[in-house]
Amino acid sequence: MTQQTLNRRSLIKSSVALAAATTVPTGWAIAQAAKPLKVGLMLPYSGTFAQLGENITAGVELLLAEKGGKLGGREVQFIKLDDESKPELGPQNAERLVKRDNVDVLIGTVHSGVQMGIHKVVKESGTLTLIPNAGNVAVTRELCARNVFRTSFTNWQPAYAMGLALAKKGIKKASWMTWDYAAGNESAEGFKQGLEAGGGQFVSLLTVKFPETNFQPLLAQIQGLGVEAIGAFFSGGGAVQFVKDYAAAGIKVPLCGSGFLTEGTLQGQGAAAEGIETALHYGDGLDTPKNNAFRAAFKAKTSRDADVFAVQGYDAAQLLAIGLEAVKGNLEDDKALYAAMETTKIDSPRGSITMSPQHNVVQDIYLRKVTNGQNKIISTIAQQLADPGTGCKM
Ligand code: BEZ
């Protein structure tokens, strides 16, 4: 026998085949499908992204409640793990869920660096994984995997659209400010490509370490840049601080960004955020039956307003439900499971979405402007925008 990695899924498959050859033909698979489905929720429940993790979790739970507490006929047992948005702990935390807790499905996470740790583990184990936020491009480009699906975005998508929108307004020169890690740097690249595609010029990328919130060294450089706009990627607590500091510094250069800059943060940012334009796959004022029902249910459950993170969690659970229903809860039928997930069209609160061949979400990207404390949608910048997905071989 040649040297081969026997992952958990192939081991399980061999035992199913053995059972089929010797004893009851489908009994084992039926018994598995009758067991509760163990779902690991690996998310940040502390630190700068804690609120994002909470809203993703509430979105997942909301869908499950709509389904009467079962997916594909199986009860669901959640195992929650706080990943603290610490990339150095990513692999060991993912291993804990996959190898110690034996989860059937992993939903996670928010931070792109932590996602790389999860990806390494689940690519090897074959565990079905749904990404409800982290946008690092590699996992649906050169490192794509048939067992990994993303219901959020790539860091490239909203930033590219923001660059396009700025160029369309006639802005010729802009810089990008962000944390120095995958989400920040990849969004800068998307912004640059969008700006240049519209005839603008990307001047510079300015960064601070994640999760640093002393932004004065960045803000102090703006006047010398000679730009007509500053774009930015920050999120959670860091975004609240950045927008407040930007306004307090009295900088006249308009601020824009990936929509995370003002998403789920407006209460904390207050008047400092008014007028900021951002690009994202969700926003306020989407008057559809699906979105209205979702927002009402989310508010009733959490007493908070829904945001993009809640939507992404809800859609991760929607996609999982679609897969599990197609195979009646039997995850071992992975061919049918993945086929159902790959070909579905989901009625999301954000609008209609599908999966790209690389398992990333294809979706409309909206231009929003903060108006009276809301991210009001002004227009659709890019319809059904897919990430380039370069280098993916499945
Ligand atoms: C990321 O690390 O990919 C990320 C974190 C927060 C918001 C958006 C993206």
Side-chain angles (χ1 to χ4, degrees):
M1 190 177 148
T2 54
Q3 270 265 298
Q4 223 177 3
T5 320
L6 267 186
N7 65 31
R8 186 173 148 252
R9 198 158 295 282
S10 56
L11 272 172
I12 291 169
K13 276 191 156 174
S14 325
S15 15
V16 173
L18 190 63
T22 53
T23 54
V24 207
T26 55
W28 194 89
I30 290 168
Q32 284 302 106
K35 285 204 317 198
L37 185 79
K38 273 197 198 178
V39 178
L41 290 174
M42 182 165 156
L43 292 163
Y45 296 111
S46 60
T48 199
F49 292 157
Q51 189 63 48
L52 286 61
E54 293 294 350
N55 279 4
I56 289 168
T57 303
V60 171
E61 290 172 347
L62 200 57
L63 186 280
L64 182 62
E66 276 177 19
K67 296 277 176 192
K70 286 187 176 182
L71 298 180
R74 294 175 71 173
E75 300 280 349
V76 174
Q77 178 193 353
F78 288 123
I79 299 171
K80 294 183 186 174
L81 189 155
D82 178 9
D83 69 32
E84 305 169 60
S85 293
K86 288 190 175 156
E88 65 277 17
L89 300 181
Q92 74 195 58
N93 280 333
E95 285 208 349
R96 235 175 86 186
L97 286 172
V98 168
K99 295 195 177 147
R100 190 194 71 180
D101 300 327
N102 277 316
V103 296
D104 299 298
V105 178
L106 198 156
I107 297 181
T109 187
V110 166
H111 184 288
S112 280
V114 180
Q115 197 69 48
M116 288 309 285
I118 294 179
H119 201 65
K120 191 167 162 281
V121 172
V122 300
K123 238 187 140 181
E124 177 145 346
S125 68
T127 311
L128 173 59
T129 299
L130 294 113
I131 307 173
N133 186 71
N136 49 335
V137 296
V139 300
T140 52
R141 289 191 190 172
E142 66 274 15
L143 297 180
C144 68
R146 65 189 287 270
N147 56 310
V148 177
F149 292 77
R150 170 152 50 198
T151 60
S152 50
F153 57 89
T154 64
N155 294 317
W156 178 90
Q157 283 174 303
Y160 175 78
M162 188 67 240
L164 278 183
L166 266 198
K168 210 170 154 194
K169 275 174 182 259
I171 300 283
K172 290 282 172 244
K173 288 181 167 191
S175 288
W176 190 257
M177 297 192 165
T178 188
W179 282 309
D180 184 11
Y181 83 108
N185 297 321
E186 291 169 1
S187 56
E189 181 57 32
F191 180 69
K192 178 175 186 284
Q193 287 179 18
L195 196 61
E196 290 176 352
Q201 185 193 338
F202 182 83
V203 173
S204 51
L205 167 62
L206 294 93
T207 61
V208 288
K209 275 194 166 157
F210 177 87
E212 180 64 64
T213 53
N214 173 14
F215 299 117
Q216 297 311 328
L218 294 187
L219 301 178
Q221 296 179 57
I222 294 177
Q223 227 181 343
L225 295 174
V227 294
E228 301 156 77
I230 293 289
F233 166 84
F234 292 104
S235 190
V240 172
Q241 194 61 44
F242 182 78
V243 166
K244 282 166 78 172
D245 288 355
Y246 199 97
I251 297 161
K252 295 284 173 272
V253 181
L255 176 62
C256 65
S258 288
F260 311 105
L261 190 63
T262 56
E263 188 69 12
T265 53
L266 290 174
Q267 243 187 342
Q269 290 164 337
E274 282 294 307
I276 295 179
E277 290 188 6
T278 60
L280 202 65
H281 43 285
Y282 192 58
D284 292 314
L286 273 176
D287 188 11
T288 62
K290 183 75 184 177
N291 189 42
N292 293 338
F294 171 75
R295 292 189 76 88
F298 190 85
K299 184 96 181 188
K301 176 178 167 65
T302 63
S303 304
R304 299 190 295 273
D305 287 324
D307 58 13
V308 78
F309 308 107
V311 172
Q312 293 167 177
Y314 181 80
D315 288 342
Q318 285 213 85
L319 184 61
L320 178 59
I322 286 160
L324 280 164
E325 278 157 19
V327 296
K328 299 194 170 48
N330 178 16
L331 279 177
E332 299 317 322
D333 189 359
D334 56 7
K335 213 168 157 211
L337 174 77
Y338 298 153
M341 294 170 75
E342 282 164 352
T343 54
T344 189
K345 185 173 185 178
I346 294 181
D347 183 16
S348 164
R350 71 187 99 170
S352 184
I353 59 171
T354 54
M355 283 287 125
S356 71
Q358 302 82 19
H359 295 181
N360 184 59
V361 68
V362 180
Q363 56 195 339
D364 288 349
I365 309 286
Y366 307 108
L367 180 64
R368 309 110 49 89
K369 181 175 186 163
V370 180
T371 314
N372 298 325
Q374 290 200 314
N375 284 300
K376 279 278 173 211
I377 291 177
I378 306 172
S379 62
T380 304
I381 312 169
Q383 282 183 343
Q384 295 301 294
L385 183 68
D387 182 85
T390 324
C392 171
K393 287 191 191 77
M394 264 205 225

